[in-house]
Amino acid sequence: MTGKMGNVARMRGNEMEDSELKHKLRCARAGDEPALAALITWQMPAIRALAARAVCPGLAFDDAVQEGLIGLFHAIENYDADAKASFSTYANVCVQNAITDAQRAASRRKHAPLNEFVPLEDSQAAPGPEEQTEAQEAYSSMLHSIETRLSRREKQVLALFLDGCSYGEIGARLNLSEKAVDNALQRVRAKLK
């Protein structure tokens, strides 16, 4: 064997004789799970090696291994014993083609948005009904406190501060010194604790 397939064949440390492969293949096709497991074990080092080289944005290692296994199952189902190629060669080609097809599919431009996404580090689930009710109650309580505990001037200062105005801007709008604005905000904080 030469080229890529020769390299794949050399990567397998768990070689089987051709007659043993054909026997395992017949048994696996008949539904013998240990025979199928033996074929997977035999081919897994080559699948993992090919998968490692195929990893790219949009195709993770585990996904490439899964595609290789699908290629192996295809080989098991469709191998023609009367063909000139051995099962080993046919299985290697099926595995390599399956992984290469997955790599090509992952690299298509239509998948670029998925391949280039940025995960949200601290994404939080939407609050449930209990959390929403608690938040609404806290908000209502705060509004009630603002209405009942603060003077008209303190409400004005607080509203402008919450709109993002600086102490100087608040003072200019309400004709107050910056110190008077600071004092009003200190009283607001104390009353709303």
Side-chain angles (χ1 to χ4, degrees):
M1 283 189 204
T2 60
K4 290 182 183 178
M5 288 296 105
N7 292 338
V8 171
R10 283 191 292 274
M11 283 187 248
R12 288 192 321 276
N14 190 8
E15 292 292 329
M16 276 194 218
E17 293 294 323
D18 194 45
S19 60
E20 186 182 357
L21 270 177
K22 287 181 182 179
H23 174 71
K24 297 283 186 195
L25 177 62
R26 278 192 303 275
C27 293
R29 282 182 171 174
D32 182 8
E33 289 187 22
L36 179 60
L39 289 174
I40 292 170
T41 301
W42 160 75
Q43 190 67 25
M44 190 54 83
I47 291 172
R48 293 178 65 79
L50 288 168
R53 289 195 305 246
V55 171
C56 64
L59 183 64
F61 174 74
D62 290 338
D63 295 334
V65 168
Q66 185 175 20
E67 292 295 329
L69 287 170
I70 291 170
L72 177 60
F73 291 139
H74 174 79
I76 291 169
E77 289 178 10
N78 298 311
Y79 176 69
D80 181 7
D82 297 331
K84 293 182 182 181
S86 68
F87 176 70
S88 175
T89 301
Y90 184 71
N92 287 336
V93 170
C94 288
V95 167
Q96 185 169 12
N97 287 344
I99 292 173
T100 301
D101 288 347
Q103 186 180 31
R104 277 192 207 118
S107 299
R108 290 189 184 118
R109 290 222 15 98
K110 71 179 185 178
H111 298 299
L114 294 173
N115 296 341
E116 297 168 1
F117 80 98
V118 177
L120 299 174
E121 294 299 321
D122 296 324
S123 63
Q124 296 177 346
E130 291 178 10
E131 291 87 5
Q132 288 178 341
T133 302
E134 289 173 4
Q136 183 63 39
E137 288 174 359
Y139 178 73
S140 296
S141 174
M142 181 60 71
L143 286 180
H144 180 72
S145 294
I146 289 171
E147 288 299 319
T148 58
R149 294 181 181 176
L150 301 183
S151 68
R152 187 176 65 79
R153 173 72 67 192
E154 290 166 343
K155 289 178 201 174
Q156 290 173 329
V157 169
L158 178 61
L160 290 172
F161 181 75
L162 292 176
D163 283 339
C165 295
S166 68
Y167 285 20
E169 292 169 332
I170 296 170
R173 288 187 185 183
L174 299 178
N175 198 24
L176 298 171
S177 69
E178 287 187 28
K179 182 63 179 163
V181 171
D182 182 54
N183 289 341
L185 286 173
Q186 293 299 326
R187 287 191 306 274
V188 167
R189 287 184 186 105
K191 289 179 179 180
L192 296 180
K193 274 189 178 179

